[in-house]
Amino acid sequence: MGRTPNELAEAMGLPLVDLAAIWKDQRELSPDEVRSMAVFLETPVEDVATHAGVSTPIPPDTHSIPDLGDATAVLARLDDIAHRLEKLERAVADVKSLVLETRFAQSMPDTDKGHADG
C-alpha cells in the first residue's frame, strides 16, 4: 500500500504513541477510530473491528435510519445524561462558590492580629 503509520495516525487524528498502543493491544479503538482506520485502509469497518479485537465496537452505519425502538432507547439515555449533566453543573457551581468565598476570606485583613499585639 505504501502508507506509513504516521499517515494513519494523522488520518485518525491520533498521536503516533496512541496508534502504537493500539497496535500493541494496550488501547482499544473507539467506533470513530474504527471508521477512520477503515476509510484510510479502504476496507470495511467490520474487517477493522474484527481484527482489532472482540471488545472493539463496530460503528453504526450513519446513513441508516434507526427503528423506533432504538430511537426510544437513545432518547431515554440522552435524558439520563442530561440529568447527570445538570447535577455536575450544580456541583461545579457549588465548588466555584466555595473557592470564591475562600479567596475572599483570605484577602480580608485579619483584625484579630492587631488586637493581640497591643
Side-chain angles (χ1 to χ4, degrees), residues 3-58:
R3 295 182 175 181
T4 67
N6 286 338
E7 291 171 328
L8 176 58
E10 184 177 325
M12 294 175 67
L14 295 174
L16 190 56
V17 68
D18 284 357
L19 183 62
I22 290 168
W23 242 248
K24 295 182 215 173
D25 282 336
Q26 296 173 345
R27 180 183 176 293
E28 296 293 325
L29 286 165
S30 73
D32 287 338
E33 292 167 344
V34 170
R35 187 178 297 105
S36 297
M37 186 180 284
V39 168
F40 180 82
L41 297 173
E42 300 173 356
T43 189
V45 292
E46 296 83 7
D47 289 351
V48 172
T50 299
H51 290 288
V54 268
S55 62
T56 301
I58 297 174

Side-chain angles (χ1 to χ4, degrees), residues 40-93:
F40 180 82
L41 297 173
E42 300 173 356
T43 189
V45 292
E46 296 83 7
D47 289 351
V48 172
T50 299
H51 290 288
V54 268
S55 62
T56 301
I58 297 174
D61 182 7
T62 56
H63 300 292
S64 66
I65 299 171
D67 65 26
L68 188 56
D70 287 344
T72 303
V74 168
L75 290 174
R77 181 73 176 128
L78 286 174
D79 189 47
D80 178 54
I81 290 170
H83 289 294
R84 292 174 65 196
L85 181 60
E86 287 175 20
K87 288 170 109 178
L88 284 170
E89 288 172 337
R90 283 193 300 267
V92 167

